[in-house]
Amino acid sequence: MNRVLLVAALTLAGCSARPPVAAPGDAREALLAADRAFAAATGARGLDGWMEFYTADAVRLQMGRTAVQGTAAVRAYDAGLFENPANRLVWAPTDAGAFADGRHGFTTGTSALLSAAGDTLYRGVYISMWRMEAGGRWRVILDTGADR
């Protein structure tokens, strides 16, 4: 009877809300797609689209500045990027990969802030760290960039 209970407990523990594990090749493509969707949501909805892809415990940092953590702090930190609705923050991933656990990964790419006239106000590179959430959705846990 104890063995049956032990097997049942272990089986139920394995059925918890842990996200699925992605195979490395699948994860790379899924991360690239998630980053492109992140860019599209930001283009369509500005700061609200931007925030949709961050986890509650996400960290944002820039070289030489203090890191911030949590969605409220990230929203306040990045609000200036979206102050002028005529400006557009755009980016494109150039690489992606997953860590051995299959639940964490990264994307890298190029970014720019464009004026309404199409002038480049800022050009940079970035790296975003991602975590697979329950339901298999990739969300940003750390985002940083640098001038290029």
Side-chain angles (χ1 to χ4, degrees):
M1 180 66 165
N2 286 341
R3 284 186 188 180
V4 171
L5 290 174
L6 178 61
V7 169
L10 290 173
T11 301
L12 287 175
C15 294
S16 66
R18 293 186 72 189
V21 176
D26 294 341
R28 181 179 189 283
E29 293 307 314
L31 284 158
L32 289 169
D35 203 351
R36 289 182 190 112
F38 183 20
T42 300
R45 294 188 309 287
L47 184 58
D48 290 334
W50 174 257
M51 294 306 303
E52 178 185 320
F53 281 79
Y54 283 94
T55 62
D57 61 344
V59 174
R60 274 281 286 132
L61 60 104
Q62 292 296 120
M63 298 295 285
R65 296 173 76 184
T66 303
V68 298
Q69 184 170 16
T71 51
V74 170
R75 180 178 283 277
Y77 183 83
D78 287 331
L81 286 171
F82 301 96
E83 277 180 338
N84 184 343
N87 293 343
R88 293 181 308 123
L89 177 62
V90 297
W91 70 91
T94 56
D95 198 11
F99 293 95
D101 70 357
R103 292 184 175 93
H104 293 86
F106 68 90
T107 55
T108 62
T110 59
S111 60
L113 183 62
L114 306 175
S115 73
D119 298 324
T120 301
L121 305 172
Y122 166 88
R123 188 175 303 280
V125 293
Y126 70 91
I127 183 167
S128 298
M129 305 299 293
W130 299 74
R131 177 174 63 217
M132 186 184 288
E133 300 284 297
R137 182 176 179 208
W138 288 100
R139 296 195 50 207
V140 176
I141 58 174
L142 183 138
D143 189 49
T144 188
D147 292 345
R148 185 171 101 174

